Amino acid sequence: MADNVPITPGTGADIATDQVTGTGEQIQLMKLAISADGDRTLIPANGTDGLSVKLTNASVPVGDGTNVVTIDTDPADSEPNSGNALHVEGRTYLYNGSTWDRARGDISNGMLVDVSRVQGQVQVGDGTNPVSVDTAGTDGESNAVNQLHTQARLYGFNGTTWDRIRSTSATFKGKQYTAAATGDPIWQPASGKSVVVTSLQIQSGGTTSGTCVLWFGLVGDTAYTRGTDAAVFDGEFAPSTTNKPGVIMTFPTPIRGAVDAYLRVTTTNAQTVTFAIWGYEI
């Protein structure tokens, strides 16, 4: 196809122009089109966004109009802080084997890390002082060694589950008997609780002899059966005017009764016996 079409001035279609103020010349208005030979496709544009420009085919420097941001093609350690930087927002994703998931975290604790899946060694410390692992403990170790303070709690096995060992929350129960007692409830636990005896004192008085039993019995069970009912103490006292026997017991492993079982006292004869019992309910 031949280029360049001659135009003969005369009457015909109007041509869009813009008249210069003052001098009166007419300047023809032109539209931009793709410049490939044989193509008359217009370059897209509008009054709001202007001319559409495709930057993928152009090399355009990025900056603030004065300072140009360079592309770091060979990153290294200890780079200066004076280099021009383009601040961008990065998001961390983790591959789950099929897709990518966002890494979780919060502003207080930072990124959440499942240390149970960390391979190798994890150093524990405060950011400055690491805690060493004592693989061979000895006496007379230095107090200057970095330590990781942990909290340990003592538990006792009750045959099925583990219970916390009580200390300052002990309860006291005390009573004196001067007549025979048959399953008298010296300690009645709260509903659904068990009595746990940690220590006791039993002191005889007077001159009357007799057996003395401290035992666990359920509601309605007041008759002590030796060898069947759970006894905390099962003995006999023979006091005299010069000898007042008694017993003091502290249990390394506290004695626990059944749930809702009373701690009961059974004595024979009109002997004088005083009980002082320490323990707790669980």
Side-chain angles (χ1 to χ4, degrees), residues 213-218 221-232 234 256-258 261:
V213 183
L214 181 67
W215 58 287
F216 288 107
L218 295 175
D221 180 13
T222 59
Y224 174 68
T225 302
R226 184 173 284 112
T228 300
D229 290 321
V232 179
D234 186 346
R256 175 179 177 175

mmCIF file of all heavy atoms in Angstrom, residues 213-218 221-232 234 256-258 261:
data_model
loop_
_atom_site.group_PDB
_atom_site.id
_atom_site.type_symbol
_atom_site.label_atom_id
_atom_site.label_comp_id
_atom_site.label_asym_id
_atom_site.label_seq_id
_atom_site.Cartn_x
_atom_site.Cartn_y
_atom_site.Cartn_z
ATOM 1 N N VAL A 213 -8.867 -46.976 118.425
ATOM 2 C CA VAL A 213 -8.782 -47.129 116.970
ATOM 3 C C VAL A 213 -9.218 -45.830 116.291
ATOM 4 O O VAL A 213 -10.278 -45.275 116.640
ATOM 5 C CB VAL A 213 -9.676 -48.294 116.468
ATOM 6 C CG1 VAL A 213 -9.493 -48.473 114.968
ATOM 7 C CG2 VAL A 213 -9.357 -49.574 117.218
ATOM 8 N N LEU A 214 -8.397 -45.379 115.345
ATOM 9 C CA LEU A 214 -8.757 -44.255 114.468
ATOM 10 C C LEU A 214 -8.883 -44.834 113.067
ATOM 11 O O LEU A 214 -7.910 -45.378 112.530
ATOM 12 C CB LEU A 214 -7.676 -43.171 114.524
ATOM 13 C CG LEU A 214 -7.922 -41.910 113.680
ATOM 14 C CD1 LEU A 214 -9.117 -41.117 114.225
ATOM 15 C CD2 LEU A 214 -6.670 -41.027 113.655
ATOM 16 N N TRP A 215 -10.069 -44.728 112.450
ATOM 17 C CA TRP A 215 -10.318 -45.458 111.212
ATOM 18 C C TRP A 215 -11.286 -44.693 110.310
ATOM 19 O O TRP A 215 -11.916 -43.722 110.712
ATOM 20 C CB TRP A 215 -10.865 -46.854 111.521
ATOM 21 C CG TRP A 215 -12.138 -46.869 112.340
ATOM 22 C CD1 TRP A 215 -12.267 -46.586 113.662
ATOM 23 C CD2 TRP A 215 -13.455 -47.177 111.861
ATOM 24 N NE1 TRP A 215 -13.578 -46.695 114.060
ATOM 25 C CE2 TRP A 215 -14.337 -47.067 112.973
ATOM 26 C CE3 TRP A 215 -13.986 -47.552 110.635
ATOM 27 C CZ2 TRP A 215 -15.700 -47.316 112.873
ATOM 28 C CZ3 TRP A 215 -15.354 -47.811 110.530
ATOM 29 C CH2 TRP A 215 -16.188 -47.688 111.646
ATOM 30 N N PHE A 216 -11.374 -45.136 109.045
ATOM 31 C CA PHE A 216 -12.285 -44.549 108.062
ATOM 32 C C PHE A 216 -13.527 -45.420 107.934
ATOM 33 O O PHE A 216 -13.433 -46.643 107.748
ATOM 34 C CB PHE A 216 -11.622 -44.432 106.684
ATOM 35 C CG PHE A 216 -10.571 -43.360 106.595
ATOM 36 C CD1 PHE A 216 -9.218 -43.692 106.528
ATOM 37 C CD2 PHE A 216 -10.925 -42.021 106.572
ATOM 38 C CE1 PHE A 216 -8.252 -42.714 106.443
ATOM 39 C CE2 PHE A 216 -9.963 -41.028 106.475
ATOM 40 C CZ PHE A 216 -8.613 -41.376 106.424
ATOM 41 N N GLY A 217 -14.694 -44.765 108.026
ATOM 42 C CA GLY A 217 -15.953 -45.479 107.849
ATOM 43 C C GLY A 217 -16.950 -44.624 107.099
ATOM 44 O O GLY A 217 -17.050 -43.417 107.327
ATOM 45 N N LEU A 218 -17.698 -45.229 106.198
ATOM 46 C CA LEU A 218 -18.698 -44.503 105.423
ATOM 47 C C LEU A 218 -19.900 -44.150 106.286
ATOM 48 O O LEU A 218 -19.998 -44.548 107.458
ATOM 49 C CB LEU A 218 -19.137 -45.340 104.223
ATOM 50 C CG LEU A 218 -18.050 -45.616 103.169
ATOM 51 C CD1 LEU A 218 -18.583 -46.562 102.100
ATOM 52 C CD2 LEU A 218 -17.564 -44.307 102.543
ATOM 53 N N ASP A 221 -21.731 -46.506 108.870
ATOM 54 C CA ASP A 221 -20.837 -47.579 109.318
ATOM 55 C C ASP A 221 -20.129 -47.114 110.585
ATOM 56 O O ASP A 221 -19.168 -46.351 110.540
ATOM 57 C CB ASP A 221 -19.822 -47.900 108.217
ATOM 58 C CG ASP A 221 -18.864 -49.010 108.630
ATOM 59 O OD1 ASP A 221 -19.138 -49.692 109.641
ATOM 60 O OD2 ASP A 221 -17.838 -49.170 107.944
ATOM 61 N N THR A 222 -20.590 -47.561 111.738
ATOM 62 C CA THR A 222 -19.995 -47.146 113.018
ATOM 63 C C THR A 222 -19.299 -48.284 113.741
ATOM 64 O O THR A 222 -18.637 -48.050 114.764
ATOM 65 C CB THR A 222 -21.077 -46.556 113.937
ATOM 66 O OG1 THR A 222 -22.093 -47.527 114.167
ATOM 67 C CG2 THR A 222 -21.686 -45.296 113.308
ATOM 68 N N ALA A 223 -19.431 -49.496 113.235
ATOM 69 C CA ALA A 223 -18.818 -50.661 113.885
ATOM 70 C C ALA A 223 -17.500 -50.985 113.192
ATOM 71 O O ALA A 223 -17.474 -51.342 112.010
ATOM 72 C CB ALA A 223 -19.763 -51.858 113.836
ATOM 73 N N TYR A 224 -16.414 -50.857 113.926
ATOM 74 C CA TYR A 224 -15.094 -51.128 113.356
ATOM 75 C C TYR A 224 -14.859 -52.626 113.256
ATOM 76 O O TYR A 224 -15.037 -53.369 114.227
ATOM 77 C CB TYR A 224 -14.004 -50.488 114.209
ATOM 78 C CG TYR A 224 -12.603 -50.842 113.761
ATOM 79 C CD1 TYR A 224 -12.099 -50.383 112.552
ATOM 80 C CD2 TYR A 224 -11.789 -51.647 114.570
ATOM 81 C CE1 TYR A 224 -10.816 -50.720 112.142
ATOM 82 C CE2 TYR A 224 -10.503 -51.976 114.167
ATOM 83 C CZ TYR A 224 -10.025 -51.517 112.956
ATOM 84 O OH TYR A 224 -8.757 -51.839 112.548
ATOM 85 N N THR A 225 -14.425 -53.065 112.038
ATOM 86 C CA THR A 225 -14.092 -54.464 111.807
ATOM 87 C C THR A 225 -12.616 -54.553 111.473
ATOM 88 O O THR A 225 -12.184 -54.083 110.405
ATOM 89 C CB THR A 225 -14.937 -55.060 110.654
ATOM 90 O OG1 THR A 225 -16.332 -54.917 110.971
ATOM 91 C CG2 THR A 225 -14.604 -56.532 110.453
ATOM 92 N N ARG A 226 -11.851 -55.122 112.403
ATOM 93 C CA ARG A 226 -10.401 -55.210 112.199
ATOM 94 C C ARG A 226 -10.101 -56.104 110.997
ATOM 95 O O ARG A 226 -10.665 -57.196 110.845
ATOM 96 C CB ARG A 226 -9.732 -55.753 113.464
ATOM 97 C CG ARG A 226 -8.209 -55.786 113.373
ATOM 98 C CD ARG A 226 -7.584 -56.172 114.704
ATOM 99 N NE ARG A 226 -7.609 -55.050 115.653
ATOM 100 C CZ ARG A 226 -8.328 -55.015 116.748
ATOM 101 N NH1 ARG A 226 -9.114 -56.047 117.040
ATOM 102 N NH2 ARG A 226 -8.288 -53.978 117.557
ATOM 103 N N GLY A 227 -9.221 -55.621 110.131
ATOM 104 C CA GLY A 227 -8.857 -56.362 108.927
ATOM 105 C C GLY A 227 -9.724 -56.031 107.732
ATOM 106 O O GLY A 227 -9.393 -56.411 106.602
ATOM 107 N N THR A 228 -10.839 -55.355 107.956
ATOM 108 C CA THR A 228 -11.734 -54.966 106.857
ATOM 109 C C THR A 228 -11.768 -53.453 106.694
ATOM 110 O O THR A 228 -11.555 -52.932 105.593
ATOM 111 C CB THR A 228 -13.153 -55.499 107.088
ATOM 112 O OG1 THR A 228 -13.114 -56.923 107.177
ATOM 113 C CG2 THR A 228 -14.076 -55.090 105.949
ATOM 114 N N ASP A 229 -12.060 -52.750 107.779
ATOM 115 C CA ASP A 229 -12.096 -51.287 107.714
ATOM 116 C C ASP A 229 -10.678 -50.722 107.716
ATOM 117 O O ASP A 229 -9.747 -51.309 108.300
ATOM 118 C CB ASP A 229 -12.877 -50.731 108.909
ATOM 119 C CG ASP A 229 -14.360 -51.038 108.812
ATOM 120 O OD1 ASP A 229 -14.893 -50.974 107.688
ATOM 121 O OD2 ASP A 229 -14.973 -51.356 109.847
ATOM 122 N N ALA A 230 -10.507 -49.564 107.038
ATOM 123 C CA ALA A 230 -9.191 -48.941 106.904
ATOM 124 C C ALA A 230 -8.832 -48.185 108.169
ATOM 125 O O ALA A 230 -9.461 -47.181 108.522
ATOM 126 C CB ALA A 230 -9.188 -47.989 105.707
ATOM 127 N N ALA A 231 -7.814 -48.678 108.880
ATOM 128 C CA ALA A 231 -7.395 -48.068 110.140
ATOM 129 C C ALA A 231 -6.185 -47.160 109.912
ATOM 130 O O ALA A 231 -5.258 -47.517 109.187
ATOM 131 C CB ALA A 231 -7.042 -49.142 111.154
ATOM 132 N N VAL A 232 -6.218 -46.007 110.573
ATOM 133 C CA VAL A 232 -5.050 -45.133 110.614
ATOM 134 C C VAL A 232 -4.199 -45.502 111.836
ATOM 135 O O VAL A 232 -2.965 -45.520 111.769
ATOM 136 C CB VAL A 232 -5.484 -43.650 110.680
ATOM 137 C CG1 VAL A 232 -4.266 -42.733 110.759
ATOM 138 C CG2 VAL A 232 -6.347 -43.285 109.468
ATOM 139 N N ASP A 234 -4.490 -48.463 115.193
ATOM 140 C CA ASP A 234 -5.228 -49.519 115.885
ATOM 141 C C ASP A 234 -4.306 -50.054 116.984
ATOM 142 O O ASP A 234 -3.368 -50.808 116.698
ATOM 143 C CB ASP A 234 -5.613 -50.632 114.907
ATOM 144 C CG ASP A 234 -6.517 -51.693 115.556
ATOM 145 O OD1 ASP A 234 -6.612 -51.696 116.797
ATOM 146 O OD2 ASP A 234 -7.091 -52.497 114.811
ATOM 147 N N ARG A 256 -5.076 -41.311 102.822
ATOM 148 C CA ARG A 256 -6.312 -40.761 102.246
ATOM 149 C C ARG A 256 -7.449 -41.759 102.370
ATOM 150 O O ARG A 256 -7.312 -42.932 102.007
ATOM 151 C CB ARG A 256 -6.079 -40.407 100.778
ATOM 152 C CG ARG A 256 -7.313 -39.942 100.038
ATOM 153 C CD ARG A 256 -6.963 -39.590 98.607
ATOM 154 N NE ARG A 256 -8.139 -39.203 97.834
ATOM 155 C CZ ARG A 256 -8.092 -38.747 96.580
ATOM 156 N NH1 ARG A 256 -6.930 -38.624 95.967
ATOM 157 N NH2 ARG A 256 -9.197 -38.413 95.949
ATOM 158 N N GLY A 257 -8.574 -41.275 102.890
ATOM 159 C CA GLY A 257 -9.754 -42.116 102.990
ATOM 160 C C GLY A 257 -10.564 -42.101 101.706
ATOM 161 O O GLY A 257 -10.278 -41.344 100.765
ATOM 162 N N ALA A 258 -11.584 -42.921 101.663
ATOM 163 C CA ALA A 258 -12.465 -42.960 100.500
ATOM 164 C C ALA A 258 -13.304 -41.688 100.444
ATOM 165 O O ALA A 258 -13.438 -40.946 101.427
ATOM 166 C CB ALA A 258 -13.365 -44.187 100.570
ATOM 167 N N ALA A 261 -15.979 -40.711 103.169
ATOM 168 C CA ALA A 261 -15.753 -41.536 104.360
ATOM 169 C C ALA A 261 -15.388 -40.645 105.540
ATOM 170 O O ALA A 261 -14.569 -39.734 105.426
ATOM 171 C CB ALA A 261 -14.654 -42.551 104.087
#
